[in-house]
Amino acid sequence: MGGSLTNSANGNGYVAIANVSQTLTALNQQYNGKIGGAMGWEYFNANNTNENIDPVGWTQAMYNAVN
């Protein structure tokens, strides 16, 4: 299991949300829809795919990537 920072302010190693979403989509396709979900570090200031603080937008991006 792994996870991702949800905002660059939360630590080193941040990957843009759009990139995380694209990777999850690719993995979900590769594993025939058997990806269980996504884990984000620090939901309270999570970015959306436009890199604006929007925790609900982060959730929607992750949901779209795995469904």
Side-chain angles (χ1 to χ4, degrees):
M1 179 190 320
S4 177
L5 295 170
T6 60
N7 186 304
S8 61
N10 297 335
N12 295 326
Y14 177 75
V15 176
I17 301 306
N19 292 348
V20 172
S21 181
Q22 290 172 350
T23 300
L24 282 173
T25 297
L27 287 169
N28 199 38
Q29 290 171 351
Q30 181 178 346
Y31 293 102
N32 301 314
K34 294 182 180 173
I35 299 295
M39 192 283 290
W41 181 258
E42 300 291 8
Y43 179 74
F44 78 97
N45 69 342
N47 286 341
N48 60 24
T49 55
N50 294 322
E51 297 301 320
N52 298 313
I53 294 176
D54 176 13
V56 174
W58 179 88
T59 302
Q60 188 64 54
M62 298 304 108
Y63 175 84
N64 291 343
V66 299
N67 288 293

Short mmCIF file of all heavy atoms in Angstrom, two decimals:
data_model
loop_
_atom_site.label_atom_id
_atom_site.label_comp_id
_atom_site.label_asym_id
_atom_site.label_seq_id
_atom_site.Cartn_x
_atom_site.Cartn_y
_atom_site.Cartn_z
N MET A 1 0.84 -1.16 0.00
CA MET A 1 0.00 0.00 0.00
C MET A 1 0.89 1.23 0.00
O MET A 1 1.94 1.25 0.60
CB MET A 1 -0.91 0.02 1.22
CG MET A 1 -1.77 1.26 1.21
SD MET A 1 -2.74 1.70 2.67
CE MET A 1 -3.38 0.24 3.31
N GLY A 2 0.45 2.23 -0.69
CA GLY A 2 1.17 3.48 -0.73
C GLY A 2 0.19 4.63 -0.70
O GLY A 2 -1.02 4.43 -0.77
N GLY A 3 0.70 5.80 -0.62
CA GLY A 3 -0.14 6.97 -0.61
C GLY A 3 0.57 8.13 -1.27
O GLY A 3 1.65 8.00 -1.79
N SER A 4 -0.07 9.28 -1.21
CA SER A 4 0.46 10.46 -1.88
C SER A 4 0.18 11.69 -1.04
O SER A 4 -0.86 11.79 -0.38
CB SER A 4 -0.21 10.59 -3.24
OG SER A 4 0.21 11.76 -3.90
N LEU A 5 1.11 12.63 -1.08
CA LEU A 5 0.84 13.92 -0.47
C LEU A 5 -0.27 14.60 -1.26
O LEU A 5 -0.33 14.49 -2.48
CB LEU A 5 2.09 14.80 -0.52
CG LEU A 5 3.29 14.33 0.30
CD1 LEU A 5 4.51 15.17 -0.04
CD2 LEU A 5 2.98 14.44 1.78
N THR A 6 -1.15 15.30 -0.57
CA THR A 6 -2.26 15.95 -1.25
C THR A 6 -1.98 17.42 -1.56
O THR A 6 -2.75 18.06 -2.26
CB THR A 6 -3.53 15.87 -0.39
OG1 THR A 6 -3.28 16.54 0.85
CG2 THR A 6 -3.96 14.43 -0.16
N ASN A 7 -0.87 17.94 -1.04
CA ASN A 7 -0.52 19.35 -1.23
C ASN A 7 0.99 19.46 -1.01
O ASN A 7 1.53 18.82 -0.10
CB ASN A 7 -1.28 20.20 -0.22
CG ASN A 7 -1.11 21.69 -0.42
OD1 ASN A 7 0.01 22.19 -0.44
ND2 ASN A 7 -2.21 22.39 -0.56
N SER A 8 1.67 20.27 -1.82
CA SER A 8 3.12 20.40 -1.70
C SER A 8 3.55 20.95 -0.34
O SER A 8 4.69 20.74 0.08
CB SER A 8 3.67 21.27 -2.83
OG SER A 8 3.13 22.57 -2.77
N ALA A 9 2.66 21.63 0.36
CA ALA A 9 2.99 22.17 1.69
C ALA A 9 3.10 21.07 2.75
O ALA A 9 3.57 21.33 3.85
CB ALA A 9 1.93 23.19 2.11
N ASN A 10 2.69 19.86 2.41
CA ASN A 10 2.65 18.78 3.39
C ASN A 10 3.94 17.97 3.48
O ASN A 10 4.03 17.06 4.30
CB ASN A 10 1.48 17.85 3.09
CG ASN A 10 0.15 18.54 3.22
OD1 ASN A 10 0.02 19.52 3.93
ND2 ASN A 10 -0.84 18.06 2.51
N GLY A 11 4.93 18.27 2.65
CA GLY A 11 6.19 17.56 2.74
C GLY A 11 6.89 17.44 1.40
O GLY A 11 6.41 17.93 0.38
N ASN A 12 8.03 16.77 1.44
CA ASN A 12 8.82 16.55 0.23
C ASN A 12 8.26 15.38 -0.58
O ASN A 12 7.67 14.47 -0.03
CB ASN A 12 10.28 16.26 0.59
CG ASN A 12 10.96 17.44 1.25
OD1 ASN A 12 10.67 18.59 0.91
ND2 ASN A 12 11.84 17.18 2.18
N GLY A 13 8.47 15.42 -1.89
CA GLY A 13 8.06 14.33 -2.74
C GLY A 13 6.68 14.49 -3.33
O GLY A 13 6.10 13.53 -3.84
N TYR A 14 6.15 15.69 -3.29
CA TYR A 14 4.80 15.94 -3.83
C TYR A 14 4.76 15.64 -5.33
O TYR A 14 5.66 15.99 -6.08
CB TYR A 14 4.40 17.39 -3.58
CG TYR A 14 3.06 17.76 -4.17
CD1 TYR A 14 1.90 17.34 -3.57
CD2 TYR A 14 2.98 18.51 -5.34
CE1 TYR A 14 0.66 17.66 -4.10
CE2 TYR A 14 1.75 18.84 -5.88
CZ TYR A 14 0.60 18.42 -5.25
OH TYR A 14 -0.63 18.73 -5.79
N VAL A 15 3.68 14.99 -5.76
CA VAL A 15 3.41 14.73 -7.17
C VAL A 15 2.09 15.41 -7.48
O VAL A 15 1.12 15.27 -6.73
CB VAL A 15 3.33 13.22 -7.45
CG1 VAL A 15 2.96 12.95 -8.90
CG2 VAL A 15 4.64 12.53 -7.09
N ALA A 16 2.04 16.14 -8.59
CA ALA A 16 0.83 16.87 -8.97
C ALA A 16 -0.38 15.93 -8.99
O ALA A 16 -0.28 14.77 -9.42
CB ALA A 16 1.00 17.53 -10.33
N ILE A 17 -1.51 16.43 -8.54
CA ILE A 17 -2.72 15.62 -8.44
C ILE A 17 -3.13 15.06 -9.80
O ILE A 17 -3.56 13.91 -9.90
CB ILE A 17 -3.86 16.44 -7.81
CG1 ILE A 17 -3.47 16.94 -6.41
CG2 ILE A 17 -5.16 15.65 -7.76
CD1 ILE A 17 -3.01 15.89 -5.43
N ALA A 18 -2.97 15.84 -10.86
CA ALA A 18 -3.30 15.35 -12.20
C ALA A 18 -2.44 14.13 -12.55
O ALA A 18 -2.93 13.17 -13.15
CB ALA A 18 -3.13 16.45 -13.24
N ASN A 19 -1.17 14.14 -12.16
CA ASN A 19 -0.29 12.99 -12.42
C ASN A 19 -0.69 11.78 -11.60
O ASN A 19 -0.66 10.65 -12.09
CB ASN A 19 1.16 13.35 -12.16
CG ASN A 19 1.71 14.37 -13.14
OD1 ASN A 19 1.09 14.66 -14.15
ND2 ASN A 19 2.85 14.93 -12.83
N VAL A 20 -1.04 12.00 -10.34
CA VAL A 20 -1.49 10.90 -9.49
C VAL A 20 -2.76 10.29 -10.09
O VAL A 20 -2.88 9.06 -10.20
CB VAL A 20 -1.76 11.38 -8.05
CG1 VAL A 20 -2.41 10.28 -7.21
CG2 VAL A 20 -0.47 11.86 -7.40
N SER A 21 -3.67 11.13 -10.51
CA SER A 21 -4.92 10.67 -11.10
C SER A 21 -4.67 9.85 -12.37
O SER A 21 -5.26 8.78 -12.56
CB SER A 21 -5.81 11.87 -11.40
OG SER A 21 -7.03 11.46 -11.95
N GLN A 22 -3.78 10.33 -13.24
CA GLN A 22 -3.45 9.61 -14.48
C GLN A 22 -2.83 8.26 -14.16
O GLN A 22 -3.14 7.26 -14.82
CB GLN A 22 -2.51 10.44 -15.34
CG GLN A 22 -3.15 11.65 -15.96
CD GLN A 22 -2.14 12.56 -16.64
OE1 GLN A 22 -0.93 12.40 -16.52
NE2 GLN A 22 -2.66 13.55 -17.36
N THR A 23 -1.95 8.22 -13.18
CA THR A 23 -1.30 6.96 -12.80
C THR A 23 -2.33 5.97 -12.25
O THR A 23 -2.31 4.79 -12.61
CB THR A 23 -0.19 7.22 -11.78
OG1 THR A 23 0.78 8.10 -12.37
CG2 THR A 23 0.47 5.93 -11.34
N LEU A 24 -3.22 6.43 -11.38
CA LEU A 24 -4.25 5.55 -10.85
C LEU A 24 -5.16 5.02 -11.96
O LEU A 24 -5.54 3.84 -11.95
CB LEU A 24 -5.09 6.27 -9.80
CG LEU A 24 -4.47 6.42 -8.43
CD1 LEU A 24 -5.34 7.30 -7.55
CD2 LEU A 24 -4.24 5.07 -7.79
N THR A 25 -5.50 5.87 -12.91
CA THR A 25 -6.33 5.44 -14.04
C THR A 25 -5.62 4.34 -14.82
O THR A 25 -6.23 3.32 -15.15
CB THR A 25 -6.67 6.63 -14.96
OG1 THR A 25 -7.44 7.57 -14.22
CG2 THR A 25 -7.46 6.19 -16.18
N ALA A 26 -4.34 4.53 -15.10
CA ALA A 26 -3.57 3.53 -15.85
C ALA A 26 -3.47 2.22 -15.07
O ALA A 26 -3.64 1.13 -15.64
CB ALA A 26 -2.18 4.07 -16.16
N LEU A 27 -3.21 2.31 -13.78
CA LEU A 27 -3.14 1.10 -12.96
C LEU A 27 -4.49 0.39 -12.89
O LEU A 27 -4.55 -0.85 -12.94
CB LEU A 27 -2.66 1.44 -11.55
CG LEU A 27 -1.18 1.79 -11.41
CD1 LEU A 27 -0.90 2.37 -10.04
CD2 LEU A 27 -0.31 0.58 -11.69
N ASN A 28 -5.55 1.16 -12.77
CA ASN A 28 -6.88 0.58 -12.72
C ASN A 28 -7.20 -0.17 -14.02
O ASN A 28 -7.79 -1.25 -13.99
CB ASN A 28 -7.92 1.67 -12.45
CG ASN A 28 -9.22 1.11 -11.94
OD1 ASN A 28 -9.23 0.17 -11.16
ND2 ASN A 28 -10.31 1.68 -12.38
N GLN A 29 -6.79 0.39 -15.14
CA GLN A 29 -7.00 -0.29 -16.42
C GLN A 29 -6.15 -1.55 -16.51
O GLN A 29 -6.60 -2.60 -16.95
CB GLN A 29 -6.69 0.66 -17.58
CG GLN A 29 -7.71 1.76 -17.72
CD GLN A 29 -7.31 2.82 -18.72
OE1 GLN A 29 -6.19 2.84 -19.22
NE2 GLN A 29 -8.22 3.74 -19.00
N GLN A 30 -4.90 -1.44 -16.08
CA GLN A 30 -3.98 -2.59 -16.12
C GLN A 30 -4.47 -3.74 -15.26
O GLN A 30 -4.33 -4.91 -15.62
CB GLN A 30 -2.58 -2.16 -15.67
CG GLN A 30 -1.56 -3.28 -15.70
CD GLN A 30 -0.18 -2.81 -15.29
OE1 GLN A 30 0.10 -1.62 -15.20
NE2 GLN A 30 0.70 -3.75 -15.02
N TYR A 31 -5.05 -3.43 -14.12
CA TYR A 31 -5.50 -4.46 -13.18
C TYR A 31 -7.01 -4.67 -13.22
O TYR A 31 -7.62 -5.12 -12.24
CB TYR A 31 -5.01 -4.14 -11.77
CG TYR A 31 -3.51 -4.25 -11.68
CD1 TYR A 31 -2.71 -3.11 -11.67
CD2 TYR A 31 -2.89 -5.49 -11.65
CE1 TYR A 31 -1.33 -3.22 -11.62
CE2 TYR A 31 -1.51 -5.61 -11.60
CZ TYR A 31 -0.74 -4.46 -11.59
OH TYR A 31 0.63 -4.57 -11.55
N ASN A 32 -7.61 -4.36 -14.36
CA ASN A 32 -9.02 -4.67 -14.62
C ASN A 32 -9.98 -4.15 -13.55
O ASN A 32 -10.89 -4.84 -13.13
CB ASN A 32 -9.22 -6.17 -14.80
CG ASN A 32 -8.39 -6.71 -15.94
OD1 ASN A 32 -8.37 -6.13 -17.02
ND2 ASN A 32 -7.69 -7.80 -15.71
N GLY A 33 -9.78 -2.92 -13.13
CA GLY A 33 -10.70 -2.30 -12.19
C GLY A 33 -10.61 -2.80 -10.77
O GLY A 33 -11.54 -2.62 -9.99
N LYS A 34 -9.49 -3.41 -10.40
CA LYS A 34 -9.37 -3.98 -9.06
C LYS A 34 -8.56 -3.11 -8.10
O LYS A 34 -8.13 -3.57 -7.06
CB LYS A 34 -8.75 -5.37 -9.15
CG LYS A 34 -9.67 -6.34 -9.88
CD LYS A 34 -9.10 -7.72 -9.94
CE LYS A 34 -10.08 -8.62 -10.68
NZ LYS A 34 -9.54 -9.93 -10.93
N ILE A 35 -8.39 -1.84 -8.46
CA ILE A 35 -7.73 -0.90 -7.54
C ILE A 35 -8.75 -0.55 -6.45
O ILE A 35 -9.88 -0.18 -6.74
CB ILE A 35 -7.28 0.37 -8.28
CG1 ILE A 35 -6.27 0.04 -9.38
CG2 ILE A 35 -6.72 1.41 -7.32
CD1 ILE A 35 -4.96 -0.51 -8.90
N GLY A 36 -8.34 -0.65 -5.22
CA GLY A 36 -9.28 -0.45 -4.12
C GLY A 36 -9.54 0.99 -3.75
O GLY A 36 -10.56 1.31 -3.15
N GLY A 37 -8.64 1.90 -4.09
CA GLY A 37 -8.84 3.28 -3.72
C GLY A 37 -7.54 4.05 -3.75
O GLY A 37 -6.55 3.61 -4.31
N ALA A 38 -7.56 5.20 -3.14
CA ALA A 38 -6.39 6.08 -3.08
C ALA A 38 -6.24 6.60 -1.66
O ALA A 38 -7.22 6.83 -0.97
CB ALA A 38 -6.56 7.24 -4.05
N MET A 39 -4.99 6.79 -1.24
CA MET A 39 -4.73 7.33 0.09
C MET A 39 -3.98 8.65 -0.06
O MET A 39 -3.02 8.73 -0.81
CB MET A 39 -3.88 6.35 0.91
CG MET A 39 -3.78 6.68 2.39
SD MET A 39 -2.66 8.02 2.87
CE MET A 39 -1.07 7.32 2.56
N GLY A 40 -4.48 9.67 0.60
CA GLY A 40 -3.83 10.97 0.56
C GLY A 40 -3.43 11.41 1.96
O GLY A 40 -4.15 11.19 2.92
N TRP A 41 -2.25 12.04 2.03
CA TRP A 41 -1.75 12.54 3.31
C TRP A 41 -2.24 13.97 3.50
O TRP A 41 -1.95 14.83 2.67
CB TRP A 41 -0.22 12.50 3.31
CG TRP A 41 0.38 12.97 4.60
CD1 TRP A 41 0.95 14.18 4.82
CD2 TRP A 41 0.46 12.25 5.82
NE1 TRP A 41 1.36 14.27 6.12
CE2 TRP A 41 1.09 13.09 6.75
CE3 TRP A 41 0.05 10.99 6.22
CZ2 TRP A 41 1.32 12.70 8.06
CZ3 TRP A 41 0.29 10.61 7.52
CH2 TRP A 41 0.92 11.45 8.42
N GLU A 42 -2.98 14.22 4.56
CA GLU A 42 -3.48 15.53 4.95
C GLU A 42 -4.62 16.01 4.05
O GLU A 42 -4.46 16.88 3.18
CB GLU A 42 -2.36 16.58 5.00
CG GLU A 42 -1.27 16.25 5.98
CD GLU A 42 -1.68 16.33 7.44
OE1 GLU A 42 -2.87 16.50 7.75
OE2 GLU A 42 -0.79 16.20 8.29
N TYR A 43 -5.77 15.46 4.25
CA TYR A 43 -6.96 15.79 3.46
C TYR A 43 -7.38 17.25 3.60
O TYR A 43 -7.86 17.85 2.64
CB TYR A 43 -8.11 14.86 3.88
CG TYR A 43 -9.40 15.12 3.17
CD1 TYR A 43 -9.56 14.74 1.84
CD2 TYR A 43 -10.46 15.75 3.81
CE1 TYR A 43 -10.75 14.98 1.17
CE2 TYR A 43 -11.64 15.99 3.15
CZ TYR A 43 -11.79 15.60 1.83
OH TYR A 43 -12.95 15.84 1.16
N PHE A 44 -7.17 17.86 4.77
CA PHE A 44 -7.71 19.20 5.05
C PHE A 44 -7.28 20.26 4.04
O PHE A 44 -8.00 21.22 3.80
CB PHE A 44 -7.33 19.66 6.46
CG PHE A 44 -5.90 20.14 6.58
CD1 PHE A 44 -5.62 21.50 6.50
CD2 PHE A 44 -4.86 19.26 6.75
CE1 PHE A 44 -4.32 21.96 6.60
CE2 PHE A 44 -3.56 19.70 6.86
CZ PHE A 44 -3.28 21.07 6.78
N ASN A 45 -6.11 20.11 3.43
CA ASN A 45 -5.66 21.10 2.45
C ASN A 45 -5.34 20.46 1.10
O ASN A 45 -4.50 20.93 0.34
CB ASN A 45 -4.46 21.90 2.97
CG ASN A 45 -3.19 21.09 3.09
OD1 ASN A 45 -3.21 19.86 3.11
ND2 ASN A 45 -2.07 21.78 3.19
N ALA A 46 -6.04 19.39 0.79
CA ALA A 46 -5.81 18.66 -0.46
C ALA A 46 -6.11 19.53 -1.68
O ALA A 46 -7.06 20.31 -1.68
CB ALA A 46 -6.69 17.41 -0.50
N ASN A 47 -5.27 19.38 -2.69
CA ASN A 47 -5.46 20.11 -3.95
C ASN A 47 -6.38 19.33 -4.88
O ASN A 47 -6.45 18.11 -4.83
CB ASN A 47 -4.13 20.31 -4.67
CG ASN A 47 -3.28 21.36 -4.02
OD1 ASN A 47 -3.76 22.18 -3.26
ND2 ASN A 47 -2.00 21.35 -4.32
N ASN A 48 -7.02 20.08 -5.78
CA ASN A 48 -7.74 19.44 -6.88
C ASN A 48 -6.80 19.36 -8.09
O ASN A 48 -5.62 19.69 -7.97
CB ASN A 48 -9.03 20.21 -7.21
CG ASN A 48 -8.78 21.64 -7.62
OD1 ASN A 48 -7.71 22.02 -8.10
ND2 ASN A 48 -9.79 22.48 -7.44
N THR A 49 -7.29 18.94 -9.24
CA THR A 49 -6.42 18.77 -10.40
C THR A 49 -5.91 20.10 -10.96
O THR A 49 -4.95 20.11 -11.73
CB THR A 49 -7.12 17.97 -11.52
OG1 THR A 49 -8.35 18.62 -11.83
CG2 THR A 49 -7.36 16.54 -11.10
N ASN A 50 -6.51 21.21 -10.54
CA ASN A 50 -6.01 22.53 -10.94
C ASN A 50 -5.00 23.09 -9.94
O ASN A 50 -4.59 24.23 -10.04
CB ASN A 50 -7.17 23.52 -11.10
CG ASN A 50 -8.07 23.14 -12.25
OD1 ASN A 50 -7.60 22.70 -13.29
ND2 ASN A 50 -9.36 23.32 -12.07
N GLU A 51 -4.65 22.27 -8.94
CA GLU A 51 -3.69 22.63 -7.89
C GLU A 51 -4.20 23.77 -7.01
O GLU A 51 -3.42 24.57 -6.50
CB GLU A 51 -2.32 22.94 -8.47
CG GLU A 51 -1.67 21.75 -9.17
CD GLU A 51 -1.48 20.54 -8.25
OE1 GLU A 51 -1.12 20.69 -7.07
OE2 GLU A 51 -1.69 19.41 -8.74
N ASN A 52 -5.50 23.83 -6.81
CA ASN A 52 -6.11 24.74 -5.85
C ASN A 52 -6.57 23.92 -4.65
O ASN A 52 -7.00 22.78 -4.81
CB ASN A 52 -7.32 25.44 -6.46
CG ASN A 52 -6.95 26.29 -7.65
OD1 ASN A 52 -6.00 27.05 -7.59
ND2 ASN A 52 -7.67 26.15 -8.74
N ILE A 53 -6.49 24.50 -3.46
CA ILE A 53 -6.94 23.77 -2.27
C ILE A 53 -8.44 23.52 -2.39
O ILE A 53 -9.23 24.45 -2.49
CB ILE A 53 -6.60 24.53 -0.98
CG1 ILE A 53 -5.09 24.61 -0.81
CG2 ILE A 53 -7.26 23.86 0.23
CD1 ILE A 53 -4.63 25.43 0.39
N ASP A 54 -8.77 22.24 -2.42
CA ASP A 54 -10.16 21.82 -2.64
C ASP A 54 -10.25 20.32 -2.29
O ASP A 54 -10.17 19.48 -3.18
CB ASP A 54 -10.54 22.06 -4.10
CG ASP A 54 -11.93 21.56 -4.45
OD1 ASP A 54 -12.72 21.24 -3.54
OD2 ASP A 54 -12.23 21.49 -5.66
N PRO A 55 -10.38 19.99 -1.00
CA PRO A 55 -10.42 18.58 -0.62
C PRO A 55 -11.49 17.77 -1.35
O PRO A 55 -11.24 16.62 -1.74
CB PRO A 55 -10.68 18.62 0.89
CG PRO A 55 -10.12 19.93 1.32
CD PRO A 55 -10.41 20.86 0.17
N VAL A 56 -12.65 18.35 -1.56
CA VAL A 56 -13.70 17.62 -2.29
C VAL A 56 -13.26 17.37 -3.73
O VAL A 56 -13.51 16.30 -4.28
CB VAL A 56 -15.05 18.38 -2.22
CG1 VAL A 56 -16.10 17.72 -3.09
CG2 VAL A 56 -15.52 18.47 -0.78
N GLY A 57 -12.58 18.33 -4.34
CA GLY A 57 -12.05 18.15 -5.69
C GLY A 57 -11.02 17.04 -5.76
O GLY A 57 -10.96 16.28 -6.72
N TRP A 58 -10.19 16.93 -4.70
CA TRP A 58 -9.22 15.83 -4.64
C TRP A 58 -9.95 14.49 -4.59
O TRP A 58 -9.62 13.56 -5.33
CB TRP A 58 -8.32 15.98 -3.40
CG TRP A 58 -7.31 14.87 -3.27
CD1 TRP A 58 -6.07 14.84 -3.82
CD2 TRP A 58 -7.47 13.62 -2.58
NE1 TRP A 58 -5.45 13.65 -3.51
CE2 TRP A 58 -6.29 12.89 -2.75
CE3 TRP A 58 -8.50 13.07 -1.84
CZ2 TRP A 58 -6.11 11.63 -2.19
CZ3 TRP A 58 -8.32 11.81 -1.28
CH2 TRP A 58 -7.13 11.11 -1.46
N THR A 59 -10.97 14.42 -3.74
CA THR A 59 -11.75 13.19 -3.63
C THR A 59 -12.39 12.83 -4.96
O THR A 59 -12.36 11.66 -5.37
CB THR A 59 -12.84 13.35 -2.55
OG1 THR A 59 -12.22 13.69 -1.31
CG2 THR A 59 -13.67 12.10 -2.40
N GLN A 60 -12.94 13.80 -5.66
CA GLN A 60 -13.57 13.54 -6.95
C GLN A 60 -12.56 13.05 -7.97
O GLN A 60 -12.83 12.13 -8.74
CB GLN A 60 -14.27 14.80 -7.47
CG GLN A 60 -15.11 14.56 -8.71
CD GLN A 60 -16.28 13.62 -8.43
OE1 GLN A 60 -17.06 13.87 -7.53
NE2 GLN A 60 -16.41 12.56 -9.20
N ALA A 61 -11.37 13.64 -7.99
CA ALA A 61 -10.32 13.22 -8.92
C ALA A 61 -9.91 11.77 -8.65
O ALA A 61 -9.74 10.98 -9.58
CB ALA A 61 -9.12 14.14 -8.83
N MET A 62 -9.77 11.41 -7.39
CA MET A 62 -9.37 10.04 -7.05
C MET A 62 -10.50 9.06 -7.37
O MET A 62 -10.27 7.96 -7.89
CB MET A 62 -8.97 9.94 -5.57
CG MET A 62 -7.79 10.78 -5.18
SD MET A 62 -6.28 10.48 -6.13
CE MET A 62 -6.20 11.98 -7.12
N TYR A 63 -11.72 9.45 -7.09
CA TYR A 63 -12.87 8.61 -7.41
C TYR A 63 -12.95 8.34 -8.92
O TYR A 63 -13.12 7.21 -9.35
CB TYR A 63 -14.16 9.29 -6.92
CG TYR A 63 -15.41 8.52 -7.32
CD1 TYR A 63 -15.87 7.46 -6.53
CD2 TYR A 63 -16.12 8.84 -8.48
CE1 TYR A 63 -17.00 6.76 -6.89
CE2 TYR A 63 -17.24 8.14 -8.85
CZ TYR A 63 -17.68 7.10 -8.06
OH TYR A 63 -18.80 6.38 -8.43
N ASN A 64 -12.79 9.40 -9.69
CA ASN A 64 -12.84 9.25 -11.16
C ASN A 64 -11.71 8.36 -11.66
O ASN A 64 -11.90 7.61 -12.63
CB ASN A 64 -12.75 10.62 -11.83
CG ASN A 64 -13.98 11.46 -11.61
OD1 ASN A 64 -15.04 10.97 -11.23
ND2 ASN A 64 -13.85 12.76 -11.82
N ALA A 65 -10.56 8.43 -11.02
CA ALA A 65 -9.41 7.64 -11.46
C ALA A 65 -9.60 6.14 -11.22
O ALA A 65 -9.10 5.32 -11.99
CB ALA A 65 -8.14 8.11 -10.77
N VAL A 66 -10.31 5.77 -10.18
CA VAL A 66 -10.44 4.35 -9.85
C VAL A 66 -11.79 3.76 -10.19
O VAL A 66 -12.05 2.59 -9.94
CB VAL A 66 -10.10 4.06 -8.35
CG1 VAL A 66 -8.67 4.45 -8.05
CG2 VAL A 66 -11.06 4.75 -7.42
N ASN A 67 -12.67 4.56 -10.80
CA ASN A 67 -13.99 4.06 -11.19
C ASN A 67 -14.25 4.27 -12.66
O ASN A 67 -13.66 4.97 -13.34
CB ASN A 67 -15.09 4.75 -10.39
CG ASN A 67 -15.10 4.27 -8.96
OD1 ASN A 67 -15.40 3.12 -8.70
ND2 ASN A 67 -14.74 5.13 -8.04
#
